[in-house]
Amino acid sequence: MQRLLGSGYESFLEALQQTPPTSVRLNPGKTAAKPGLPKVPWAEQGYYLRERPSFTLDPLLHAGTYYVQEASSMFIEQALKQVIDLEKPLHVLDLCGAPGGKSTHLASLISPDSLQVSNEVIKSRAYVLAENVAKWGSGNVLVTNNDPRDFGRLKSFFDVMVVDAPCSGEGMFRKDLQAIGEWSEENVNLCAQRQQRILTDVWEALKPGGVLIYSTCTWNEQENEENIAWLSEQEQAETLKLILRPEWGITPTHLNGVEGYRFYPHLTQGEGFFMAVVRKGGIPEEEAIGKKKKYKLTLAGKKEQALVENWLQNPEQFVWLQHGEVISALPAPLFDAADKVFQNLYVLFAGAEIAEVNGKKLKPLQGLALSQHLNKAAFETADLNLEQALRYLRKEDISLGTNGSNWLLLQYKNIPLGWAKQVGNRMNNYYPKEWRIRMELPQELPSFTLLTA
């Protein structure tokens, strides 16, 4: 670090002793509210908070109206906007997706008729990723649980890949003391080798002319510029130069022909981060039209579709899928591409899960409640106060003093949280038990409110 920073080294050490900034990114598909907070300058929906609140006790976080994300990692927005036509339908891969910061960010930036695949190799983390994707509610994301080598089966499929590679974590030292204890030169070497394997494994799945966004939360050159230089030597690839504003404080680097971007805590308001943007060489090929294939995805029957199609806005824009008793919705233009993913990968979650059908009985699912395409007019709604909302999110019994035998869409500040079923004057809580808040509620509830509308 002394060699990399020179005279800035002492300022760097001092910054590592300071409290890291807290930042969030809004979901434009769920809120138009703009908090009166400082902006993250390279991300349109990014904001810095003045202090870190207890996010667990804000129902709007659980409703997917915003995501708590480190500001530096929001810089992928600049790569996408500067080198990719986001108006076009794209196939996008977030290879190391958990817990979901970059995946939800990508979903907000690409067009509705683009297909996003968000992957996580560790199964427990893949379920966390699926939860956060469902809460974001964009409806055009598949969550997969695969090793990077499995993506070789999808040759030249993706227009864009984001590889936020597992790394030695030097940029997280002030946030995570465990990262300091785990650091060693040996671990740096192991991480660099693993990153090379990951890049090699997924490279075939990127289309010629496609873009790879590579990032780490570490600073050493071995895991960053040297890896991208190695990739350029192994494959036909070139790094792309982005336009930076001086006030951002981002440090551009030029090593072995690699254009890279470094975030240092004494120069930028964020944690340690590195990013490079790579374009794959070659000429994009038109996909050959083969014989009519056998699909793996199964369409819901017309009778089942008729039961639920008015639950989404613009239902004609979706295909309705059925797996067992669960009906899901996926934007219609994505059916063929999604089926190809299902044919080759293990998919945990797809589109938006709408309902569970048992004969003539329908049970609306959590994915529907949190979908950006939900037609609220199709349901009876009830607004909860803060205490009621938190008790609902803890999966406790709540009472609204109502009677009936119908499904209720429960909301907080007019934002859907999930479902409850009235049974007489009793109310059954259908919030997913694996998502529930586990912390005890304080006697005095917090006054923190990020969004007021």
Side-chain angles (χ1 to χ4, degrees):
M1 294 308 298
Q2 282 181 301
R3 177 178 58 80
L4 286 171
L5 295 172
S7 61
Y9 180 65
E10 293 301 323
S11 298
F12 165 76
L13 287 182
E14 185 179 334
L16 289 183
Q17 307 305 313
Q18 297 169 1
T19 302
T22 300
S23 50
V24 300
R25 182 175 39 76
L26 305 187
N27 184 345
K30 291 195 175 185
T31 179
K34 301 296 181 188
L37 294 167
K39 288 287 302 290
V40 175
W42 45 82
E44 186 176 350
Q45 302 293 339
Y47 293 86
Y48 293 105
L49 303 190
R50 296 181 177 92
E51 58 184 20
R52 189 176 186 88
S54 178
F55 286 111
T56 302
L57 299 177
D58 182 9
L60 293 182
L61 172 71
H62 303 276
T65 59
Y66 66 94
Y67 192 97
V68 184
Q69 185 180 10
E70 204 286 303
S72 298
S73 66
M74 298 183 199
F75 188 65
I76 64 165
E77 180 170 323
Q78 290 300 316
L80 287 163
K81 287 182 173 179
Q82 291 189 34
V83 306
I84 295 160
D85 183 356
L86 294 174
E87 297 298 317
K88 286 185 175 180
L90 301 167
H91 296 166
V92 179
L93 171 65
D94 183 10
L95 182 68
C96 312
K102 291 182 178 64
S103 281
T104 54
H105 197 176
L106 289 166
S108 291
L109 294 169
I110 61 178
S111 63
D113 53 354
S114 292
L115 178 70
Q116 179 176 319
V117 177
S118 294
N119 181 71
E120 174 56 46
V121 66
I122 301 171
K123 193 158 194 175
S124 59
R125 286 169 54 82
Y127 281 109
V128 174
L129 174 61
E131 176 184 338
N132 285 321
V133 166
K135 287 177 177 177
W136 206 249
S138 60
N140 57 344
V141 182
L142 310 183
V143 176
T144 59
N145 174 216
N146 286 81
D147 188 273
R149 65 175 174 268
D150 298 334
F151 286 84
R153 299 194 285 264
L154 290 169
K155 187 175 180 180
S156 299
F157 182 78
F158 293 102
D159 302 280
V160 181
M161 282 183 181
V162 174
V163 178
D164 186 37
C167 67
S168 58
E170 296 159 0
M172 304 300 289
F173 277 4
R174 70 175 176 180
K175 283 185 73 173
D176 184 2
L177 293 177
Q178 187 177 351
I180 300 174
E182 292 176 351
W183 189 92
S184 67
E185 288 190 42
E186 182 184 6
N187 191 36
V188 169
N189 292 332
L190 288 172
C191 286
Q193 292 168 14
R194 178 170 55 187
Q195 290 151 0
Q196 289 183 5
R197 179 184 73 82
I198 289 170
L199 290 170
T200 300
D201 285 344
V202 299
W203 188 252
E204 281 297 303
L206 183 64
K207 291 179 181 178
V211 171
L212 167 73
I213 301 172
Y214 175 83
S215 63
T216 72
C217 57
T218 206
W219 288 304
N220 69 78
E221 292 161 314
Q222 192 173 346
E223 296 179 65
N224 295 322
E225 291 94 344
E226 290 182 14
N227 263 347
I228 298 302
W230 171 87
L231 178 67
S232 298
E233 290 172 4
Q234 302 296 313
E235 307 289 350
Q236 190 181 354
E238 62 169 342
T239 55
L240 304 179
K241 190 171 184 177
L242 303 180
I243 298 170
L244 304 178
R245 294 183 181 176
E247 63 269 23
W248 292 352
I250 299 168
T251 305
T253 64
H254 314 278
L255 178 70
N256 297 332
V258 171
E259 301 280 351
Y261 304 94
R262 288 171 164 267
F263 292 68
Y264 295 116
H266 64 297
L267 298 176
T268 57
Q269 195 175 354
E271 295 308 280
F273 188 68
F274 170 85
M275 194 182 83
V277 185
V278 178
R279 189 182 301 281
K280 185 174 182 177
I283 300 172
E285 299 175 5
E286 292 292 329
E287 189 171 347
I289 300 174
K291 296 179 181 178
K292 189 175 181 180
K293 64 178 182 178
K294 183 179 179 182
Y295 288 106
K296 187 167 185 178
L297 294 177
T298 303
L299 294 175
K302 290 184 178 180
K303 183 175 70 173
E304 287 78 11
Q305 178 181 331
L307 293 172
V308 299
E309 62 183 357
N310 72 320
W311 290 5
L312 291 184
Q313 303 172 50
N314 304 312
E316 70 283 354
Q317 297 178 4
F318 296 88
V319 288
W320 302 82
L321 311 174
Q322 186 160 356
H323 181 71
E325 296 179 341
V326 174
I327 294 178
S328 301
L330 191 70
L334 307 184
F335 180 81
D336 282 325
D339 187 75
K340 188 169 184 179
V341 175
F342 270 85
Q343 298 268 10
N344 290 282
L345 299 174
Y346 177 59
V347 181
L348 281 181
F349 174 88
E353 293 185 340
I354 303 299
E356 191 175 292
V357 181
N358 188 357
K360 292 185 177 180
K361 291 184 178 179
L362 288 177
K363 173 186 171 184
L365 296 177
Q366 186 67 16
L368 171 66
L370 299 178
S371 171
Q372 296 175 22
H373 308 285
L374 168 69
N375 178 21
K376 289 204 291 184
F379 300 95
E380 186 177 343
T381 61
D383 282 286
L384 308 179
N385 60 33
L386 178 59
E387 182 178 356
Q388 290 170 332
L390 291 173
R391 294 198 179 282
Y392 171 74
L393 294 168
R394 277 177 50 81
K395 205 168 171 58
E396 296 179 7
D397 292 331
I398 59 172
S399 175
L400 301 179
T402 56
N403 281 278
S405 60
N406 53 338
W407 288 98
L408 277 179
L409 178 64
L410 300 184
Q411 303 186 124
Y412 177 71
K413 296 189 175 181
N414 206 38
I415 301 291
L417 293 177
W419 303 102
K421 179 71 180 292
Q422 289 196 141
V423 183
N425 59 4
R426 184 166 55 86
M427 188 173 292
N428 291 337
N429 186 333
Y430 277 84
Y431 193 70
K433 63 180 181 181
E434 60 275 15
W435 293 10
R436 70 190 185 280
I437 295 176
R438 290 171 172 81
M439 71 177 290
E440 293 294 328
L441 300 184
Q443 289 188 344
E444 187 173 337
L445 292 175
S447 58
F448 165 71
T449 303
L450 178 66
L451 301 171
T452 56

